[in-house]
């Protein structure tokens, strides 16, 4: 008979279960032996086989040791189940991930199209609202400008603006010599600010009249070149020679040639004088009066007491031809239809077709109408070269340069005086005559109205008198009847 012992509390058949304390304190062993015929066993009917009896039997577990074994088997079964299912799920994971990716991509595509449609709709609505607001704002601005232009055309406003322009022009004439004498280092900056302001104002004024092609003329080009020398290339002797010759040459002589007039109440005429007079004065100040003996600000003046004739003339003519070629390609070639149709006015069309041009227009038409513009361009090139030769001397001699500038100013003043006496006075006389006619018409109208009122009053008095006489006659007749 084989016996085995299992740790833990067990059941002993020989012991009595009278006390629970004795069971817990005394370790018991359970003997497993062959079944007794008179003893109750857990074997079935086939357990009486001698072979089965001689072999070892499996220990019979008690109630207490059965629970951990069941839990262990359950845990093992659960782990096996989880591992099997997890392996199946891991096997299907790429397929599932691909399905999720496709679903998300389709949803994203749908949402993207929906969002795109919504944004397009909102953008269309916003654009429509913006166009509507822009149109409304434009109409308001046009209305305000129309009211402003109408008010600006009033006689009182025109006279006030002329007074303001005259005062500012006189202030400019007084301040410029003072600045040249006391603060010559300020002259380049003052020139730049004033030229930029006047040209900008002229552009907007000429744009309304379709005259803005005038701003492509050489005088504006030279002003830009002078500013480039002052602030960008002050070390360039070639550029200094070019701008000096063009400023003290054709640009300065234009005051004499084109009769620029210093009419202080006219912004247009003051601007014309300024853009021709200011560059020569600025370069004159930089050359002779600028407080910088070492020429640190304008290095091109260092060791350059005389302009190199060949280099300066070459640079000046090259700069002039650059402008002339660009002007011809733009105005004469590219925008030819606009100019010929009258939509745009240029200095060429104005000079060549203006009867007041006199000798210039006649000379330009020497070879006929077809070649008038090339002829005029050739004459202008000769005029530029000759005046540049004189400008070479002004760089060398201070007194000649000073006298030349004073003479230019006097010429512009004389032209302005001629304008006031010959042109403006006639316009003023016409205005006075028109005013006198208006006053006479008003007086005559008042006299006629007064005569009409007098006639009406006399008629009313006659009618009233006749009515009173008729009433008196009626009273007399009635009295006679009563008698």
């Amino acid at each position: 008979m084989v016996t085995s012992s299992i740790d833990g509390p067990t059941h002993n058949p020989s012991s009595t279960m009278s006390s629970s304390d004795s069971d817990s304190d005394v370790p018991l062993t359970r003997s497993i032996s062959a079944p007794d015929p008179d003893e109750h066993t857990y074997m079935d009917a086939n357990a009486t086989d001698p072979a089965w009896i001689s072999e070892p039997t499996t220990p019979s577990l008690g109630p207490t040791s059965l629970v951990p074994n069941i839990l262990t088997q359950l845990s093992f079964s659960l782990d096996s189940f989880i591992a099997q299912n997890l392996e199946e799920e891991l096997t299907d994971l790429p397929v599932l991930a691909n399905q999720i990716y496709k679903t998300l991509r389709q949803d994203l595509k749908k949402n993207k199209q929906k969002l795109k449609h919504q944004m397009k709709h909102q953008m269309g609505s916003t654009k429509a609202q913006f166009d509507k607001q822009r149109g409304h704002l434009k109409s308001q601005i046009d209305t305000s400008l129309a009211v402003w232009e109408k008010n600006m055309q009033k006689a009182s406003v025109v006279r006030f603006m002329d007074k303001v322009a005259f005062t500012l022009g006189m202030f400019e004439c007084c301040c410029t010599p003072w600045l040249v004498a006391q603060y010559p280092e300020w002259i380049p900056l003052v020139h730049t600010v004033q030229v930029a302001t006047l040209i900008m104002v002229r552009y907007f004024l000429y744009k309304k009249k379709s005259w803005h092609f005038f701003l492509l003329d050489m005088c504006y080009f030279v002003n830009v070149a002078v500013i480039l020398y002052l602030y960008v290339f002050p070390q360039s002797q070639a550029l200094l020679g070019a701008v000096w010759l063009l400023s003290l040459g054709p640009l300065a002589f234009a005051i004499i040639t084109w009769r620029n007039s210093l009419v202080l109440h006219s912004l247009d005429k003051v601007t014309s004088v300024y853009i021709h007079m200011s560059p020569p004065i600025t370069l004159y100040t930089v050359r002779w009066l600028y407080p910088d003996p070492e020429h640190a600000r304008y290095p091109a003046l260092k060791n350059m007491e005389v302009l190199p004739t060949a280099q300066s003339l070459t640079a000046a003519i090259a700069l002039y031809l650059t402008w002339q070629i660009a002007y011809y390609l733009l105005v004469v070639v590219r925008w030819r239809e606009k100019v010929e149709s009258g939509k745009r006015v240029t200095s060429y069309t104005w000079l060549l077709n203006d009867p007041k041009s006199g000798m210039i227009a006649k000379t330009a038409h020497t070879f006929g109408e077809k070649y008038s513009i090339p002829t005029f361009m050739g004459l202008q090139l000769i005029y530029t070269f000759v005046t540049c030769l004189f400008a070479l001397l002004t760089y060398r001699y201070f007194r000649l340069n000073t006298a030349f500038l004073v003479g230019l100013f006097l010429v512009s003043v004389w032209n302005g005086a001629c304008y006031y006496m010959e042109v403006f006075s006639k316009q003023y006389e016409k205005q006075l005559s028109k005013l006198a006619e208006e006053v006479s018409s008003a007086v005559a109208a008042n006299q006629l109205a007064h005569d009409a009122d007098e006639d009406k009053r006399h008629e009313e008095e006659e009618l009233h008198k006749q009515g009173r006489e008729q009433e008196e006659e009626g009273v007399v007749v009635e009295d006679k009847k009563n008698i």
Side-chain angles (χ1 to χ4, degrees):
M1 183 175 53
V2 179
T3 61
S4 65
S5 62
I6 300 177
D7 295 339
T10 55
H11 176 70
N12 191 356
S14 61
S15 64
T16 60
M17 302 296 298
S18 61
S19 174
S20 60
D21 295 334
S22 62
D23 293 340
S24 59
D25 294 336
V26 179
L28 302 177
T29 58
R30 175 183 175 90
S31 297
I32 302 175
S33 59
D36 190 84
D38 299 330
E39 191 177 30
H40 177 73
T41 63
Y42 295 98
M43 294 179 293
D44 55 8
N46 296 325
T48 58
D49 189 359
W52 183 86
I53 296 174
S54 61
E55 293 180 0
T57 58
T58 302
S60 178
L61 301 178
T64 305
S65 60
L66 185 61
V67 174
N69 191 18
I70 293 175
L71 292 176
T72 302
Q73 293 180 359
L74 288 175
S75 176
F76 177 76
S77 301
L78 182 61
D79 291 340
S80 301
F81 177 78
I82 293 175
Q84 183 179 0
N85 291 337
L86 183 60
E87 184 178 0
E88 294 178 357
E89 291 178 358
L90 289 176
T91 304
D92 298 336
L93 185 60
V95 179
L96 181 62
N98 190 20
Q99 293 178 354
I100 294 174
Y101 171 74
K102 289 182 179 180
T103 304
L104 291 176
R105 186 175 180 181
Q106 292 177 357
D107 293 342
L108 182 61
K109 188 175 181 180
K110 292 179 181 179
N111 294 332
K112 184 178 179 181
Q113 293 177 353
K114 185 177 180 181
L115 181 62
K116 185 177 180 180
H117 178 72
Q118 291 178 354
M119 290 182 64
K120 187 176 180 180
H121 179 71
Q122 291 178 359
M123 289 293 293
S125 178
T126 305
K127 185 178 180 181
Q129 293 178 358
F130 176 75
D131 293 339
K132 183 178 179 181
Q133 292 178 358
R134 184 178 63 178
H136 182 65
L137 181 61
K138 184 178 179 182
S139 63
Q140 289 181 345
I141 293 175
D142 293 339
T143 304
S144 301
L145 288 176
V147 173
W148 181 77
E149 290 179 355
K150 185 177 180 181
N151 292 331
M152 290 297 292
Q153 293 175 357
K154 293 181 179 179
S156 59
V157 177
V158 172
R159 285 194 295 269
F160 175 76
M161 295 301 297
D162 289 344
K163 293 176 182 178
V164 172
F166 188 93
T167 303
L168 293 177
M170 183 60 68
F171 180 76
E172 174 71 22
C173 293
C174 295
C175 286
T176 301
W178 176 74
L179 284 174
V180 170
Q182 295 295 325
Y183 303 100
E185 65 274 12
W186 290 4
I187 291 298
L189 178 61
V190 172
H191 162 75
T192 304
V193 173
Q194 289 186 343
V195 163
T197 304
L198 291 174
I199 291 178
M200 187 182 302
V201 172
R202 169 166 281 193
Y203 172 79
F204 288 109
L205 294 177
Y206 277 22
K207 178 69 175 178
K208 295 171 60 178
K209 301 177 182 179
S210 298
W211 291 0
H212 51 285
F213 278 13
F214 278 105
L215 273 70
L216 299 175
D217 290 349
M218 189 184 70
C219 53
Y220 303 96
F221 178 77
V222 174
N223 274 271
V224 174
V226 170
I227 293 175
L228 288 177
Y229 165 71
L230 293 175
Y231 298 102
V232 183
F233 305 106
Q235 74 283 353
S236 176
Q237 293 185 348
L239 184 58
L240 171 61
V243 297
W244 182 277
L245 295 185
L246 292 177
S247 298
L248 275 296
L251 190 66
F253 275 96
I255 296 176
I256 303 173
T257 307
W258 311 121
R259 293 180 58 83
N260 292 147
S261 306
L262 187 60
V263 180
L264 296 179
H265 78 277
S266 174
L267 179 62
D268 185 64
K269 294 186 178 298
V270 169
T271 302
S272 297
V273 172
Y274 193 86
I275 62 177
H276 290 90
M277 193 78 183
S278 183
I281 293 176
T282 303
L283 294 176
Y284 168 86
T285 305
V286 171
R287 167 73 175 95
W288 301 108
L289 304 175
Y290 200 82
D292 185 14
E294 301 297 330
H295 302 295
R297 179 65 184 86
Y298 300 104
L301 294 170
K302 192 173 184 179
N303 299 326
M304 194 175 179
E305 297 299 327
V306 179
L307 285 177
T309 304
Q311 178 185 354
S312 300
L313 284 175
T314 302
I317 297 302
L319 196 61
Y320 167 79
L321 290 177
T322 301
W323 164 80
Q324 185 65 86
I325 294 172
Y327 185 90
Y328 182 83
L329 293 176
L330 290 175
V331 176
V332 181
V333 177
R334 183 174 182 179
W335 297 323
R336 182 175 182 177
E337 296 181 357
K338 293 183 178 180
V339 175
E340 291 181 350
S341 63
K343 295 180 179 180
R344 299 291 185 270
V345 181
T346 65
S347 58
Y348 281 8
T349 57
W350 181 71
L351 289 172
L352 298 178
N353 299 324
D354 188 8
K356 297 180 181 180
S357 300
M359 185 61 67
I360 298 174
K362 292 180 181 179
T363 307
H365 287 83
T366 302
F367 302 101
E369 180 70 24
K370 183 178 180 180
Y371 300 101
S372 59
I373 293 180
T375 304
F376 181 78
M377 292 170 61
L379 292 174
Q380 194 172 15
L381 177 60
I382 296 173
Y383 162 80
T384 301
F385 180 78
V386 173
T387 54
C388 284
L389 292 177
F390 174 79
L392 285 170
L393 300 176
T394 60
Y395 186 88
R396 186 170 186 175
Y397 301 104
F398 170 74
R399 293 183 179 180
L400 177 62
N401 196 353
T402 305
F404 179 59
L405 293 180
V406 173
L408 290 177
F409 179 74
L410 292 177
V411 169
S412 66
V413 172
W414 174 261
N415 293 336
C418 294
Y419 176 85
Y420 275 115
M421 296 298 107
E422 298 175 6
V423 180
F424 185 75
S425 60
K426 291 180 181 180
Q427 294 179 354
Y428 189 67
E429 289 176 1
K430 289 181 181 179
Q431 291 179 354
L432 290 178
S433 300
K434 185 178 179 180
L435 181 61
E437 292 177 358
E438 292 178 355
V439 171
S440 300
S441 300
V443 171
N446 290 332
Q447 186 64 35
L448 291 174
H450 179 71
D451 294 340
D453 291 339
E454 288 293 329
D455 294 338
K456 185 176 181 180
R457 187 172 60 82
H458 287 306
E459 290 179 359
E460 290 178 354
E461 290 180 354
E462 289 293 333
L463 292 174
H464 184 66
K465 185 178 180 181
Q466 291 178 4
R468 289 179 61 187
E469 290 177 355
Q470 290 178 359
E471 289 179 357
E472 291 177 357
E473 290 179 358
V475 171
V476 172
V477 172
E478 189 172 351
D479 290 341
K480 286 181 179 181
K481 288 181 180 180
N482 293 332
I483 294 172

